[in-house]
């Protein structure tokens, strides 16, 4: 199942040369893990709800394990400080949904869980595991 590395980064008005070095080197760290950019900065975007003050980055990987292996890899960890020294942000790894995912089925499972007395634990909404 496809997984994603997602970031909301806060670049400064003028990028430090180290950030440009990071940008020039990141693709070589992604290639061994099948990573590819889906969104990088999103020059055209419209915030429809809430706030999104930073730059959007979305990178797809063939699986969560490959996404995690990329992030933990020596080449990426060596490159990472070139960005983090100059640009704050939030970064996360997430699993995608399977092709047959149906939000109505998830809602039905949540209704059943609530009917059985389940309460949220550690999350705002207790989402049952999605089918693999």
């Amino acid at each position: 199942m496809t997984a994603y590395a997602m970031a909301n980064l806060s670049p400064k008005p003028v990028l430090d040369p180290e950030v440009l070095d990071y940008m020039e080197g990141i693709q070589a760290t992604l290639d061994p893990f099948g990573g590819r950019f889906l969104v990088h900065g999103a020059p055209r975007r419209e915030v429809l709800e809430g706030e999104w003050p930073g730059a959007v980055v979305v990178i797809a990987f063939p699986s969560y394990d490959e996404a995690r292996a990329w992030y933990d890899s020596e080449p990426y960890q060596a490159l990472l400080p070139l960005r983090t020294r100059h640009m704050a942000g939030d970064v996360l790894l997430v699993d995608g949904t399977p092709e047959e995912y149906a939000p109505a089925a998830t809602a039905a499972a949540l209704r059943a869980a609530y009917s059985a007395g389940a309460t949220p634990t550690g999350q705002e909404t207790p989402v049952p595991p999605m089918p693999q």
Side-chain angles (χ1 to χ4, degrees):
M1 179 176 357
T2 304
Y4 303 92
M6 300 170 47
N8 181 7
L9 303 176
S10 300
K12 296 176 181 170
V14 176
L15 294 177
D16 187 278
E18 283 193 337
V19 175
L20 300 176
D21 293 341
Y22 171 87
M23 291 171 64
E24 290 168 345
I26 191 170
Q27 189 63 52
T29 71
L30 294 169
D31 288 342
F33 303 96
R36 69 179 187 90
F37 280 91
L38 298 180
V39 178
H40 191 214
R44 181 176 176 175
R45 67 183 188 146
E46 182 178 358
V47 178
L48 298 176
E49 296 181 27
E51 297 179 27
W52 197 286
V56 180
V57 177
V58 180
I59 303 170
F61 292 88
S63 71
Y64 189 93
D65 290 342
E66 286 168 296
R68 186 65 204 199
W70 160 74
Y71 189 85
D72 292 339
S73 71
E74 279 188 42
Y76 185 66
Q77 287 300 305
L79 192 65
L80 184 57
L82 300 179
R83 179 183 57 77
T84 58
R85 280 196 288 263
H86 308 285
M87 188 183 300
D90 300 307
V91 177
L92 68 149
L93 299 179
V94 296
D95 262 333
T97 58
E99 283 188 38
E100 67 279 359
Y101 176 73
T106 299
L110 288 170
R111 286 185 192 280
Y114 287 140
S115 298
T119 57
T121 56
Q123 309 180 177
E124 288 182 34
T125 306
V127 179
M130 291 190 293
Q132 298 291 327

